[in-house]
Amino acid sequence: IAVNEGKRFEQNWKSSVEELNNLWIYRLKDNAASFGGGSNTRFASHNMCDFIMFNDDSRTLYCLELKSTKSTSVSLSMIRDNQIEELTKASKHNLVAGFLINFRNPSNDTYFIEICDFNKMISEVNKKSLNKKDLMNYNAIYVESECKKVNYKYNVKKFITDTHL
């Protein structure tokens, strides 16, 4: 069975995190809408994010929603309103909440933007999709990665350091 690219991004992120002993990561359960080709929306749960991650060393909790696109921009329609609302609420506490956005083409660039910066960006940029330049203009952090044949390994250790500057 072929894995869709968004799921592959999630798997690659999770396996990159699991290589580090000081981090714990948990994938929130997918909803029932993913069965039957996405037509089962009656029982759809609306998780605020894909992963909850904890750094033992800094005692920091992360709420991470991962998005992957083959385009040079990410459409705001890919992000649900409840994700923005819930991540915003969560960010009012002592944790890191935001989006990891993976642009698969041409170079698999990945960026992390905290929800407060994301909210500022969408209120100031009058667009229906956001590109790398938009993200960088609003304090997004570039997440290093390395291609290992098919899958990518992400430099999570540097990501952790970069989110604590």
Side-chain angles (χ1 to χ4, degrees):
I1 297 174
V3 176
N4 85 33
E5 292 299 325
K7 293 295 178 202
R8 183 185 311 276
F9 174 45
E10 291 176 10
Q11 290 170 352
N12 289 339
W13 179 261
K14 186 173 190 249
S15 62
S16 297
V17 169
E18 288 173 337
E19 289 182 5
L20 302 172
N21 293 329
N22 63 327
L23 297 177
W24 169 81
I25 189 163
Y26 180 75
R27 171 68 164 97
L28 297 174
K29 301 292 184 230
D30 271 335
N31 60 51
S34 61
F35 298 102
S39 60
N40 191 6
T41 56
R42 229 176 91 191
F43 303 106
S45 63
H46 296 289
N47 292 334
M48 72 174 193
C49 62
D50 293 315
F51 289 104
I52 298 195
M53 188 172 85
F54 187 75
N55 180 345
D56 294 338
D57 297 340
S58 66
R59 311 293 298 160
T60 305
L61 184 69
Y62 293 79
C63 297
L64 303 172
E65 173 62 23
L66 279 63
K67 297 294 181 190
S68 183
T69 180
K70 66 181 177 182
S71 175
T72 57
S73 62
V74 62
S75 170
L76 289 177
S77 66
M78 289 176 64
I79 299 169
R80 294 192 315 271
D81 290 341
N82 78 292
Q83 291 173 320
I84 297 168
E85 291 164 17
E86 294 297 323
L87 287 171
T88 301
K89 283 182 197 172
S91 72
K92 306 225 182 302
H93 301 279
N94 190 24
L95 56 82
V96 177
F99 297 100
L100 269 170
I101 301 173
N102 171 244
F103 297 93
R104 295 191 303 270
N105 294 328
S107 56
N108 201 66
D109 289 337
T110 302
Y111 295 86
F112 173 74
I113 186 162
E114 284 201 62
I115 192 66
C116 58
D117 292 324
F118 177 85
N119 287 336
K120 185 174 188 207
M121 177 177 59
I122 60 173
S123 74
E124 293 178 3
V125 177
N126 190 19
K127 295 162 78 175
K128 291 187 183 340
S129 62
L130 307 164
N131 58 38
K132 297 174 196 178
K133 187 177 177 193
D134 296 326
L135 294 171
M136 294 303 290
N137 287 340
Y138 286 88
N139 304 316
I141 296 167
Y142 178 76
V143 180
E144 293 178 359
S145 65
E146 177 186 355
C147 186
K148 304 277 191 179
K149 293 186 182 175
V150 175
N151 294 306
Y152 281 82
K153 179 180 178 189
Y154 293 90
N155 188 341
V156 178
K157 192 179 259 185
K158 186 173 184 321
F159 165 76
I160 295 291
T161 302
D162 290 350
T163 57
H164 282 88
L165 295 179

